[in-house]
Amino acid sequence: MASSAPVDVLCMACEDSSCDFKPVKMQRRPVGPEDVLIDMKYCGVCHSDLHVAANHWAGGGMPTKYACVPGHELAGVCIAIGEKVTKVKVGDHVGVGCMVDSCLECKECLAGNEQKCKKMVQTYNQEDRSGRAATYPQGGHTLGGYTSKFVVHEKFSIVIPKSYPLECAGPVLCSGVTMYEPMKVHGVTKDSHVGIVGLGGLGGMGIKLAKALGCKVSAITRSFAKEKMAKDLGADNVVASTDDKSMLANKKSMDLIINTIPSGHNWGAYQGLLKKGGKQVLLGIHSGFAAAMVAAQIRKFSFTDTTVVSSAIGGIKTTEEVLALCAKNNIYPEVDVVPITKLNEVYTMLDAANDSGKRYVLDIEKTLTDEALASYSAVPPTLGPNPTNLNPAGIFKDLAKILFFY
């Protein structure tokens, strides 16, 4: 039932861009009539968490608000609901992905594309707009899934099949839908040849999903060093982007390339792999991603098309769809469950490069405890310079490439 009392929680928070996370006591809003209270079990660690916590996106107009509690790959068990809730029952396995609110009234929301709503509120680092993403005390910014409990409006909760492992569910709500959305939008079929650039947590999930849809899948990586990893994930083919023979052999062969690289890079190097009419979709939020967004708006007025586009997450319906696909086909992300004491270490590894291809998942239930609060000790992460190139000069350079060449 709804409550007037705030919810006491423990969170892993950082106070500045050094990303030195520590357990702290915080509070969440009282459970409202349409809210779901989740007892958190696991939360995945996304590369976006690093970018936000380290304030990497400030140059793109998205500065970080501290204290920062990231996490948009939540999985837990419902322990209370408001009296108007119909979607979730106490005892259900429940997750939350990358957003916790939208206007629910605009054209995009009504079409199931809440992620495109101008009033969409992300799971962390944004302000409430409607009351459905309210904080406690009011007026703060949203706090994400590195937390012992989470309050969410039922519309933005995802019911997880009890047969699906909870430690795997959170990453599906981020990496799964992020990879599935462009496949759905660009209409891949069993006759499609899909290229996946990058073999981190996103790329590995993309290979598995594309194969489940019947596609031919090529993993595109810097060298053949990860060929076995790619084949184990299900790739039919491996393309080494630094090998001229490999790139030539796969020239103009792919219908869709999904580029998961999270930092600024020469995405144009992959364009030659596309068939006529093919698309390269940029997922990592860097200068190329921002440029592709701007280019899309410019192309609307010139009635011309582009072969380089951007994509982010998907709506609630699409998120539920990809979770059902994973459950039906026994598709599981490659995960490494770690205690909260290793969170800073995970950030160091993500900043260097996720060569393991795994999604790191925090064991919230067993390690974010009162005992951890009393005895926590961890070395701050070692982070390099901001790799996103997300600044006016970088965006303009990539925009010119798209408009004049692609």
Side-chain angles (χ1 to χ4, degrees):
M1 298 293 290
S3 170
S4 60
V7 179
D8 294 326
V9 300
L10 289 176
C11 295
M12 291 298 290
C14 65
E15 296 293 338
D16 55 43
S17 61
S18 68
C19 300
D20 186 10
F21 285 92
K22 294 180 172 64
V24 296
K25 290 183 177 181
M26 290 183 162
Q27 290 182 309
R28 295 191 178 275
R29 71 175 184 265
V31 178
E34 298 177 320
D35 284 342
V36 175
L37 176 61
I38 303 171
D39 186 34
M40 288 289 297
K41 304 301 181 183
Y42 301 97
C43 186
V45 182
C46 177
H47 212 289
S48 296
D49 295 352
L50 165 63
H51 287 313
V52 174
N55 202 25
H56 285 168
W57 293 343
M62 297 177 285
T64 301
K65 303 168 183 66
Y66 298 99
C68 177
V69 180
H72 53 213
E73 301 181 2
L74 292 71
V77 177
C78 172
I79 56 173
I81 57 174
E83 60 266 26
K84 294 184 179 180
V85 171
T86 59
K87 183 178 180 179
V88 180
K89 304 185 302 295
V90 171
D92 282 350
H93 290 184
V94 182
V96 179
C98 300
M99 56 186 167
V100 291
D101 195 21
S102 66
C103 80
L104 304 181
E105 299 174 345
C106 69
K107 178 181 177 181
E108 295 292 1
C109 284
L110 295 176
N113 295 317
E114 298 92 346
Q115 80 280 11
K116 296 181 180 179
C117 175
K118 292 181 179 179
K119 295 182 179 180
M120 186 267 285
V121 179
Q122 296 180 18
T123 305
Y124 61 89
N125 199 49
Q126 285 198 318
E127 290 84 11
D128 173 47
R129 297 174 183 267
S130 71
R132 288 184 293 267
T135 59
Y136 190 90
Q138 292 185 352
H141 56 274
T142 52
L143 305 174
Y146 301 178
T147 183
S148 57
K149 291 181 174 64
F150 196 86
V151 180
V152 65
H153 188 275
E154 67 167 332
K155 168 67 179 177
F156 295 90
S157 65
I158 307 293
V159 178
I160 300 166
K162 288 191 176 179
S163 61
Y164 198 81
L166 271 179
E167 66 270 25
C168 295
V172 175
L173 309 185
C174 173
S175 65
V177 73
T178 297
M179 297 303 297
Y180 183 68
E181 173 75 3
M183 296 182 199
K184 184 176 179 179
V185 168
H186 296 286
V188 301
T189 69
K190 61 182 179 61
D191 297 319
S192 300
H193 182 182
V194 177
I196 306 292
V197 182
L199 290 180
L202 272 176
M205 197 64 187
I207 291 172
K208 294 182 179 185
L209 290 171
K211 287 301 296 179
L213 295 175
C215 304
K216 176 182 177 180
V217 183
S218 287
I220 306 170
T221 184
R222 288 187 296 269
S223 70
F224 288 110
K226 292 185 178 181
E227 183 171 15
K228 184 180 185 304
M229 178 194 296
K231 293 292 182 68
D232 288 346
L233 289 167
D236 301 291
N237 179 43
V238 177
V239 181
S241 61
T242 57
D243 186 298
D244 292 342
K245 290 182 179 179
S246 179
M247 292 291 281
L248 184 61
N250 291 276
K251 185 177 180 180
K252 296 182 180 181
S253 67
M254 300 177 193
D255 300 285
L256 182 69
I257 293 174
I258 304 178
N259 186 330
T260 72
I261 297 175
S263 56
H265 64 286
N266 180 22
W267 45 264
Y270 309 109
Q271 286 294 104
L273 299 174
L274 288 172
K275 293 179 182 177
K276 184 178 181 180
K279 302 280 188 183
Q280 179 178 185
V281 182
L282 304 179
L283 300 183
I285 301 182
H286 46 70
S287 56
F289 177 94
M293 290 183 65
V294 175
Q297 297 304 312
I298 294 173
R299 300 281 192 185
K300 283 183 180 179
F301 295 103
S302 62
F303 301 101
T304 57
D305 200 6
T306 179
T307 58
V308 182
V309 298
S310 60
S311 178
I313 56 174
I316 296 298
K317 182 179 179 181
T318 303
T319 304
E320 293 171 338
E321 190 176 302
V322 72
L323 180 59
L325 177 69
C326 289
K328 178 181 178 180
N329 292 279
N330 297 319
I331 298 171
Y332 308 109
E334 304 292 317
V335 299
D336 187 357
V337 179
V338 299
I340 59 151
T341 52
K342 288 195 174 182
L343 181 55
N344 287 355
E345 183 181 332
V346 167
Y347 270 57
T348 296
M349 290 187 286
L350 288 179
D351 189 67
N354 184 8
D355 286 332
S356 72
K358 293 185 177 181
R359 203 72 162 184
Y360 295 101
V361 176
L362 295 177
D363 188 339
I364 299 292
E365 179 181 31
K366 294 180 181 177
T367 65
L368 185 53
T369 62
D370 288 330
E371 291 78 10
L373 181 66
S375 62
Y376 183 83
S377 177
V379 177
T382 301
L383 306 178
N386 184 347
T388 65
N389 204 28
L390 197 59
N391 55 64
I395 295 170
F396 182 80
K397 181 179 178 181
D398 279 339
L399 178 60
K401 283 173 63 176
I402 293 173
L403 293 178
F404 291 109
F405 298 105
Y406 305 118

